[in-house]
Amino acid sequence: MLNSQMAAAYKNQQIMTASPEQLTLLLYNGALRFLNESIQALESGDKEKSHHSNLRVQAIIREFMDTLDMNYEIAKNWTALYEYIEHCLIEGNIKKDVQQLRNAKEILEDMRNTWQEAMKLARQDKVAGV
């Protein structure tokens, strides 16, 4: 019990002190974790757990879409990707189709990795004084 309380306190502290960029990365990681849970649950026949995890991923994707700054052209491209991910999640959830969930996972992993690389480059630019 004490270990779980300590882990929860650490996680809460991590979130409260994270930059917006780090929070975005945490959301990507969370979405992927819930998506993996959904896939594994569906493969093991636990449709209820798969559904619950899928809804959590959908909520994160919706949050990403709602917070995009549409004043930038790239936001329109990211919206299209998020809409496709959401479509795959919904289809996978309704039809219990693991392949749809894997399609969503592949794109989400690419987006998360792109975000990590952008954060890395931004840090390097900051250190270099650019």
Side-chain angles (χ1 to χ4, degrees):
M1 181 74 167
L2 184 60
N3 284 341
S4 64
Q5 289 175 337
M6 290 174 56
Y10 173 77
K11 189 172 187 175
N12 187 47
Q13 184 65 23
Q14 182 183 23
I15 291 168
M16 298 305 291
T17 60
S19 69
E21 297 83 10
Q22 291 168 321
L23 286 173
T24 299
L25 183 59
L26 288 171
L27 283 172
Y28 274 121
N29 289 335
L32 287 165
R33 181 172 54 91
F34 292 128
L35 188 47
N36 283 325
E37 281 179 12
S38 182
I39 291 169
Q40 290 172 354
L42 192 55
E43 289 176 336
S44 68
D46 189 346
K47 293 177 183 178
E48 186 176 335
K49 183 176 181 181
S50 177
H51 172 74
H52 178 70
S53 296
N54 187 302
L55 292 179
R56 294 184 81 172
V57 181
Q58 287 182 46
I60 293 170
I61 297 304
R62 179 57 50 193
E63 182 66 23
F64 280 142
M65 290 180 1
D66 289 345
T67 58
L68 284 172
D69 185 344
M70 298 309 286
N71 291 318
Y72 296 97
E73 187 65 30
I74 194 167
K76 293 174 183 145
N77 297 331
W78 284 68
T79 297
L81 287 170
Y82 288 136
E83 287 173 347
Y84 180 71
I85 292 168
E86 184 178 47
H87 169 78
C88 290
L89 292 169
I90 291 169
E91 287 294 308
N93 200 18
I94 292 171
K95 296 178 180 175
K96 306 306 177 206
D97 184 347
V98 173
Q99 188 54 51
Q100 288 286 349
L101 300 181
R102 286 189 181 123
N103 292 344
K105 179 182 172 186
E106 183 179 335
I107 296 168
L108 258 178
E109 285 175 334
D110 287 344
M111 294 178 85
R112 188 264 324 263
N113 294 342
T114 298
W115 187 257
Q116 280 181 312
E117 187 62 26
M119 287 175 62
K120 180 180 170 185
L121 292 172
R123 277 193 303 270
Q124 290 172 348
D125 287 350
K126 190 174 183 179
V127 169
V130 175

